[in-house]
Amino acid sequence: MYEYKAKASGSARGEDAPVATKLHYRQPPVNWLRHLSDDRTLILAALVVALACWGLGERVTVGGGFGWDGVHYGQWARAFRQEILVKRVDSYHIQRILPSAIIHYSLRILHVSLKDSHLLRAFCIYGVFLLTLTAWAWCGIARELGISTAGKWLGFVGFFLNHITLKYAFFCPATTDTTAYALGVLMLYCHLTRKTKSLCVVTFLGAFAWPLCVYVGALLLLFPRPRTEGDVSESAPRRLHLVAAMLLTILALVGIKMALRVPANMSTTLVGDGFVEPIRAFLNLSIGLCLGYLFLGSFFLLNTRQLFHWSSLFTWGRLRNAFLALLLLAGIRLTQYGLANSEPFFPMHIFLRLTAYSAIAKPGIFLVTNVAFYGPMFLLMMFLWPAVCRHIHRQGPGLTLAVLLGLLLSVNSQSRFYLNIFVMILPFVIQATDDLAWGKRLYVLVAITSL
């Protein structure tokens, strides 16, 4: 940008006339706010974080670098056709084959040998791609929800400055967890943008990567995002949410008591060495904290008219959505049963017993593991829960019910079990912080605490 200055000059009439003289060239200042608000900047930052974690992070030494369950995923990636299509796996593990299939056929297309080092490197590259895809979907969600630039970067902190991204994704790369992480964000993006066909595709893919994706996808298909808010933001009539929260809490208490009748061991919970054995002296305190958490969480989450307004829940449009969801579920189950063998593994009653035991092994243990896994964002979610629920309610009953499922699973101290649902809650935590109009110091504090 050129800057000019008037210079006095004598004339024949003795009058001074201004003459423009070029002094110097000045570069216009960089508009950092404009660059920070650009989606490409955030996506690039996520890519850099993922590459840094891959290059600098630690690696698990169990199973030759594949980890515990990763030994199976590595073997499937090495010989997918033989292991999955010929030998076959049980009905539980068939829901985990997608990452191995992607790795196997990608390397074959590229004519790369399927030795262990190449497989592990491919899993890491796949993880980098998924985290970058997560950043892209988060930018779309932030745009759809009208989240501020500061909120978008707070979301970056929540998604990428946590144990999942900074440690777990590349410490044990041969897992399906990072896939579930990305799929959860994609499902929310499809729901908010009303991309029904895309949501069907993501749900179908999720059925072969993370079992919970099927149920979440079905709920979002059955109850799509409303076109207008209408009565979705209104409170539940006649305190029905209080009764519902009490019934859910009583049901949880009955389930815990029934689970405690069976000793915890490898055959009953698939966890040995006393990891989930409760401290009997503090058992009542452990149960009380778990039930209090479930009651307060469901009390606010169910406080919406949309869940109790039967005439709006059961409509001809909803019947069409139910048919679509059932058709998709039938296609998924037929495909899974066609590929799987008949061997049972990890049935539902064992999973429920494991959840009950891991919730009360120590007083509030599930709160500790959730904060360790998801970082300060889990604490923010708890403290801002009423406001978070109000934002969730605006997106329709499908998302509310999906979050309720996540709430129930969050008492399991293996916090990874509901990670695809937690990432769907996170954008509404960011919305709640936007409402508070934070100053810069709080954003910096959360970022530093996350690290």
Side-chain angles (χ1 to χ4, degrees), residues 190-217:
C190 293
H191 176 70
L192 294 178
T193 54
R194 303 182 181 88
K195 298 182 185 296
T196 304
K197 293 180 181 178
S198 298
L199 180 57
C200 289
V201 172
V202 175
T203 302
F204 186 86
L205 293 174
F208 297 94
W210 200 255
L212 198 58
C213 285
V214 177
Y215 307 105
V216 173

Side-chain angles (χ1 to χ4, degrees), residues 39 133-148 151-152 155 159 181-193 225 395 399 423-431 434:
D39 292 349
L133 181 64
T134 299
W136 173 84
W138 161 235
C139 289
I141 291 170
R143 189 166 53 250
E144 192 68 27
L145 294 177
I147 289 174
S148 67
K152 189 165 70 170
F159 280 109
Y181 199 67
L183 287 174
V185 184
L186 285 174
M187 292 177 83
L188 179 61
Y189 174 71
C190 293
H191 176 70
L192 294 178
T193 54
R225 184 188 188 190
Q395 313 310 322
L399 185 60
V423 294
M424 300 175 75
I425 303 173
L426 187 54
F428 304 101
V429 179
I430 306 303
Q431 270 196 310
D434 263 0

Side-chain angles (χ1 to χ4, degrees), residues 41 86 102 169 183 192 231 234 240 295 313 319 350 412 451:
T41 305
V86 177
I102 292 173
L183 287 174
L192 294 178
D231 60 357
E234 295 183 17
L240 288 178
F295 173 76
L313 283 178
L319 185 62
I350 290 183
N412 191 318
L451 285 172

Side-chain angles (χ1 to χ4, degrees), residues 33 62 68-69 85 92 113 137 170 184 202 204 232 251 292-293 313 360-361 383 385 416:
L33 186 61
V62 176
W68 296 266
D69 293 341
L85 302 180
Y92 172 77
S113 63
F170 299 100
V202 175
F204 186 86
V232 296
L251 183 63
Y293 170 85
L313 283 178
I360 60 171
F383 293 134
W385 187 241
R416 53 189 286 269

Side-chain angles (χ1 to χ4, degrees), residues 249-290:
T249 307
I250 293 171
L251 183 63
L253 175 61
V254 172
I256 291 172
K257 291 293 186 181
M258 292 180 62
L260 289 174
R261 294 180 180 178
V262 182
N265 52 50
M266 282 297 296
S267 61
T268 58
T269 61
L270 295 183
V271 177
D273 300 327
F275 282 120
V276 294
E277 183 62 35
I279 302 176
R280 296 291 169 174
F282 298 102
L283 183 59
N284 289 334
L285 176 60
S286 298
I287 294 176
L289 286 172
C290 178

Side-chain angles (χ1 to χ4, degrees), residues 336-347:
Q336 288 176 340
Y337 290 140
L339 293 173
N341 58 34
S342 57
E343 296 178 8
F345 185 86
F346 207 12

